[in-house]
Amino acid sequence: MADQSKIEEGLAFAPQFDADGLITAVATDAKSGDVLMVAHMNAEALRKTIDSGEAWYYSRSRNALWKKGESSGHVQRVVELRVDCDQDALWLKVEQAGPGACHTGRRSCFYRAVPLGKASSVTLEFRQADKTFDPGKVYK
Amino acid sequence: MADQSKIEEGLAFAPQFDADGLITAVATDAKSGDVLMVAHMNAEALRKTIDSGEAWYYSRSRNALWKKGESSGHVQRVVELRVDCDQDALWLKVEQAGPGACHTGRRSCFYRAVPLGKASSVTLEFRQADKTFDPGKVYK
C-alpha cells in the first residue's frame, strides 16, 4: 500500500502532528452529541489520554500540557476515541464531569450561533447565555 | 470590555483565522450527533457558507476553495452554525446529502477507534470498515 492508503485503510495508529507537534481534538458529549470543545494535543497529551482514559490537552496559549479538569474538577472521561481518515484529527466522545467544559462557565464552548443568510451583517445569537458555573470560583 | 471579553461574551462575530488564514470547522450530523469530518475554512469559504447555507471549505492539500459535494453531490446543508468561546473554531450541524461525507467512501471520516488503556501498543479498530459508496465512481 502507498503511505496514504496505509494511513487511511490500515490498522496502524500514525497520528499526523502538525509543524508545531499538535493534532486537533474534538470533544463531544457522549450522550447528547453536542460538541463541547475543540482543542489540541501534543504526543504526550495523547499518550496520557490513551493510558488514563481521561482527556489531556496541550494549551497553545499557555504552552503547557494540561489535564482537563485539573483546576476545575471538570474532568472528561473518554468513552471512545476515534481518529479520522488521514489521521490528523481526533474525536473524543466524553462523559463531562461537573457543570461544564468551557472556561467561561458554560457547558459547551459553542454557546453562540452564527445566523445564516447574509455574511455581510452577522450578529451572533446566544444559545446558552447563562453560566452553569462561576469560573471565578472554579479556576483559582 | 477587554478584547478577550468582547470575543468571548460579545455579539460581534470576529472569527480568529490562524497565520495561514484558516479556521477549524467541525461538521456533525444534525440527527445523530456523530462527527462527520474536521476541515478548515478561509474567510471566503466561511462567507460562502453563511450566504448559501451549504458548507464550503478550504483544502490545505489542494490549496483551493472547495464546496463540499461539488464533485460527489454529497453536499452539506447547514442546520446551525456555531462559534466557540475564543472564536477560533466553528461547529456546523449539517444534513449530509448522499451516502457519506468521507472521501474514502464512508459516512464519517472517523471510522476507526483508538483503543484506550495502553498507548505503547495501539492497534486501530474499525467501526465502519465497509464503504457506503465507491469513491472511484463518485470522484471522477
Side-chain angles (χ1 to χ4, degrees), chain A residues 30-86:
Chain A
K31 284 209 186 84
S32 69
D34 285 348
V35 177
L36 295 173
M37 53 188 281
V38 172
H40 295 83
M41 291 184 184
N42 65 358
E44 191 179 357
L46 177 55
R47 183 179 60 72
K48 284 174 174 285
T49 299
I50 294 171
D51 280 341
S52 70
E54 295 187 322
W56 287 72
Y57 299 104
Y58 187 86
S59 167
R60 294 181 300 177
S61 56
R62 290 182 285 127
N63 283 315
L65 190 71
W66 155 59
K67 183 185 174 185
K68 177 68 190 166
E70 69 188 355
S71 309
S72 63
H74 305 164
V75 300
Q76 294 178 334
R77 191 179 77 77
V78 182
V79 176
E80 188 171 58
L81 176 62
R82 292 204 187 184
V83 65
D84 76 344
C85 45
D86 51 5

Side-chain angles (χ1 to χ4, degrees), chain A residues 7-11 50-51 60 80-85 103 106 109-112 114 117 119 124 127, chain B residues 7-11 50-51 80-85 88 103 106 109-112 114 117 119 124 127:
Chain A
I7 287 175
E8 292 181 354
E9 300 294 336
L11 295 178
I50 294 171
D51 280 341
R60 294 181 300 177
E80 188 171 58
L81 176 62
R82 292 204 187 184
V83 65
D84 76 344
C85 45
H103 77 287
R106 297 172 176 99
C109 294
F110 293 85
Y111 47 83
R112 288 170 298 182
V114 182
L124 297 177
R127 288 292 182 267
Chain B
I7 287 175
E8 292 181 355
E9 299 294 336
L11 296 178
I50 294 171
D51 280 340
E80 188 170 60
L81 176 61
R82 292 204 187 185
V83 65
D84 76 345
C85 45
D88 67 356
H103 78 286
R106 296 171 176 100
C109 293
F110 293 85
Y111 46 85
R112 289 170 298 182
V114 182
L124 298 177
R127 289 291 182 266

